[in-house]
Amino acid sequence: MDELNELNPAKKYISWQTLFLMALCTVIGLDDIMYNFQNQGMSVIFSWIVMVIFYVFPYSLMVGQLGSVFNKEGGGLSSWVRGTDGEFLGYFTAWTYWAASIPYAVDSANEIIVDIGWALTGSEKFQDKIPNSLFAILTFVTFIVFIIVEHHFSNSMEFLSTIGGGLMVLMTILFVVLAFCGLAKSGGHMATTNFTWKSIFPKFDWHYFSTIAMLIYAMNGCELVGPYVTKMKKPKDDFPKAMVTLAIMTAFLTIFGSFALGIYFNANHMPNDLKMNGAYYAFKMIGHQYGIGDFLLYFWAWTSVFFNCALLAVLLDAMTRMLISDTGDRYMPEFLRKKDKNGLPINGYVLTVSLAAFIMILGIFLPDMNDIFNWLLNLNGIVSPGVTCWIFYSFMRIRKNSKKYPSEYVFIKNDKVAYGVGFALLIVTAAATIMGVTPQDVAQGSSIWWYELIINIVSVVVLIGLGAILPGIRKRELEYGIAFTKNQWIWMGILIIGSIILDIYIGGLKHLPLRGAYIAVEATIALIITWLIGRRKPVQN
């Protein structure tokens, strides 16, 4: 307890109830339930039960011990890996964690556009009027706007996102309660016909196993509360209370929330745009059932706008700062760590926007907004669980040598059993990540299915592979004093930005045959020229 008092000299403790609410906001919401309902139908109820018992509960308690072991480093994921395996792996963990946030940030920007459309029109019809190129440009503009105003609103946005997260949880609970009251009001009528208890048992085929990654994506995130373990008065007792309560509430929301969706949507014939618009459809039906019109629809729309705007601002700020400040100067180029007069890593923001634009270009060839939205979710279901593997890896490392890594809170006293549990979750998560590469919302074997499979692989390779290039750039800085001259930066910037703009324009020309080939050729030429410019020795005046 002496170490805890040193870390918390003011003795301002966090109650287990507060920690539970903080974790709940990061773990589950109505959208998460909606996504997996479309993937698995009513059988998702079985999946939620298994995941809560065998995944959420041990995963949360492992995070508690990791946060307790590395409390002096702040409990961040990269510091956990750095503490067990050294600086380089810590850097690479930070990079992969940041890279995984890119699709999440793009998805949040897309959701802002969808939310504003619903909030202003009260209908999904506006989506038919927005071509893919305009959707990509609007998303790109959203990024730029949030970066411009970031230094004015970053602190308040973080506070507002907490409120928005609370509203999301409140709306999810409200949806479940109103749905079951509506079921009783309608005399037990459900949109899902021929529902029996056998309906909740899935068919264990490739499609089912390839959707497990999305379940993990929906349920991960509690590592964000890991640093707060040391701020609890009695972590040995209070942290398990918070995590058990988290598991119980997660089970309640996911199981009963999925059943509630079956009340309003036929699980055997679901709308193709359920992931993007399902929550709006649901609140519209509930509002009309209770005689309050579209009030709940608009309330949800503005809640979602409020939440996603704050979330995007915090993502752009927190993730970029974490990458730049938490990886040290050995592998991270100096130009990325450079800050402006407001203390913001502006070049880090530029890199974030550039990769976001790259992701948007890949999705521009899909048929419509709904396909782009679903594909981005699929991509999140690949990269996010992949990063979660680091948590189980770190837990295995500290339990392999528990005397070297003492902690105030311990999950499973027996080291061998604890190691085995961590290893099992690592294997399950890694397998789900690999199988999640399979596209989910298009006909298997179709041209779109193959295209999504290719861009899933390309996205992961580029996002992770760039992390291996940056140490090389840092090496140039150490060797020559600077990585590139001003002229090199200017010409490389013109080539990259110009290529992105041209690719977006060509991608929007649906009447142009083989436009994918034109973009591939153009991008390859631009990359070769950029590489030729960048490889030259930077001669300083």
Side-chain angles (χ1 to χ4, degrees), residues 61-138:
L61 297 179
M62 288 178 191
V63 165
Q65 183 169 350
L66 286 165
S68 180
V69 169
F70 299 106
N71 51 66
K72 293 183 180 180
E73 290 81 8
L77 178 57
S78 60
S79 67
W80 299 347
V81 178
R82 184 184 299 111
T84 58
D85 287 270
E87 187 67 28
F88 177 75
L89 211 56
Y91 152 76
F92 200 69
T93 302
W95 174 266
T96 54
Y97 195 82
W98 175 83
S101 73
I102 297 296
Y104 188 22
V106 175
D107 187 40
S108 298
N110 283 346
E111 286 200 39
I112 290 173
I113 298 170
V114 173
D115 293 335
I116 291 176
W118 274 97
L120 296 178
T121 67
S123 171
E124 79 285 3
K125 294 180 180 179
F126 73 95
Q127 296 165 9
D128 297 329
K129 301 177 182 179
I130 299 180
N132 289 1
S133 56
L134 179 58
F135 190 38
I137 291 172
L138 288 174

Side-chain angles (χ1 to χ4, degrees), residues 446-458:
S446 65
S447 59
I448 298 177
W449 185 90
W450 281 107
Y451 177 72
E452 289 193 5
L453 178 63
I454 292 171
I455 60 177
N456 281 344
I457 297 172
V458 170

